[in-house]
Amino acid sequence: MAIRPILTAPDPRLKAVSVAVEKVDGEIRKLAQDMADSMYAADGIGLAAIQIGVAKRVIVMDLDQKTEEGRAKKDWKVFINPKILWASPEMATYEEGCLSVPDIWDDVDRPARVRAEWLDLDGKRVEVEADGMLATCLQHEMDHLEGILFLDHLSRLKRNMAIKKLEKAKKLSA
Ligand code: K2U
Ligand code: ZN
């Protein structure tokens, strides 16, 4: 159990391309637990390992809606070495935010449905066709594994304005 600090943009470490997990072992299970602890502490619904500074292709997610008392049951899922096998031509738009891009939200268009595969914490291969929030969040987190933030999908003007706001916030909190 360890809540680890979440990197916030601008930070060159968030641009790293994460490396594949060779073996799903105790180290990866501890990393996944720390990621889940950090995600819940920040009230997020997803987190990529790079967001806590670890450039490994690991994502955790808990899309269950929170109740007043917080999440009724912590039912987080782990996605190791995720790959998108197919993406629909139809697109969907969600207002996205990011624990690494505090206080900035904007609409992002992404394929509405994706077929993806990954390894679970037992090292077992899973393949699912996802739509809705799972499709969006999975694509958002997989962008992180390539060093891509949702800001990179916005217009140059919006992205530059967001970076300026983030730089100012960092200076004020330094
Ligand atoms: O990478 C992340 O920080 C994960 C996002 C999950 C997400 C973002 C966009 C679309 C779907 C899922 C966060 O965990 S959830 C958004 C958020 C952002 C800041 C504070 C709290 C929650
Ligand atoms: Zn994010």
Side-chain angles (χ1 to χ4, degrees):
M1 160 85 182
I3 295 171
R4 294 166 61 170
I6 292 174
L7 302 181
T8 52
D11 186 321
R13 291 171 289 181
L14 288 169
K15 292 183 182 295
V17 175
S18 297
V19 297
V21 168
E22 299 289 322
K23 189 170 181 315
V24 181
D25 56 14
E27 183 204 331
I28 296 300
R29 291 193 185 92
K30 167 77 168 67
L31 169 63
Q33 183 62 61
D34 287 357
M35 289 171 65
D37 298 338
S38 307
M39 175 184 71
Y40 286 120
D43 205 17
I45 60 174
L47 194 75
I50 195 65
Q51 292 180 269
I52 59 170
V54 177
K56 287 185 193 279
R57 300 182 83 82
V58 182
I59 290 166
V60 296
M61 233 186 272
D62 179 356
L63 302 182
D64 286 355
Q65 288 314 308
K66 295 184 284 306
T67 58
E68 281 64 51
E69 303 72 42
R71 288 203 179 89
K73 190 165 100 29
K74 291 201 176 350
D75 182 20
W76 50 282
K77 300 270 185 296
V78 189
F79 304 74
I80 299 167
N81 299 340
K83 290 188 187 70
I84 289 184
L85 305 171
W86 169 85
S88 65
E90 299 80 22
M91 303 294 275
T93 304
Y94 276 85
E95 187 184 44
E96 298 195 11
C98 179
L99 297 171
S100 295
V101 184
D103 305 321
I104 292 175
W105 301 79
D106 213 321
D107 287 347
V108 177
D109 300 330
R110 297 183 189 271
R113 285 176 296 124
V114 291
R115 175 162 281 280
E117 67 172 6
W118 60 87
L119 298 180
D120 65 14
L121 268 187
D122 298 321
K124 208 162 56 52
R125 182 180 174 278
V126 181
E127 183 175 325
V128 162
E129 183 161 322
D131 61 4
M133 188 48 117
L134 177 58
T136 291
C137 192
L138 194 51
Q139 293 175 83
H140 175 111
E141 302 309 335
M142 288 179 68
D143 266 357
H144 276 299
L145 305 184
E146 302 304 328
I148 296 167
L149 297 175
F150 81 89
L151 297 179
D152 300 319
H153 293 280
L154 305 182
S155 68
R156 185 189 301 274
L157 175 66
K158 280 190 171 183
R159 187 168 63 247
N160 291 343
M161 283 170 64
I163 295 289
K164 278 203 178 5
K165 182 180 171 188
L166 292 161
E167 283 169 342
K168 193 165 167 224
K170 271 204 166 179
K171 273 205 195 96
L172 289 175
S173 63

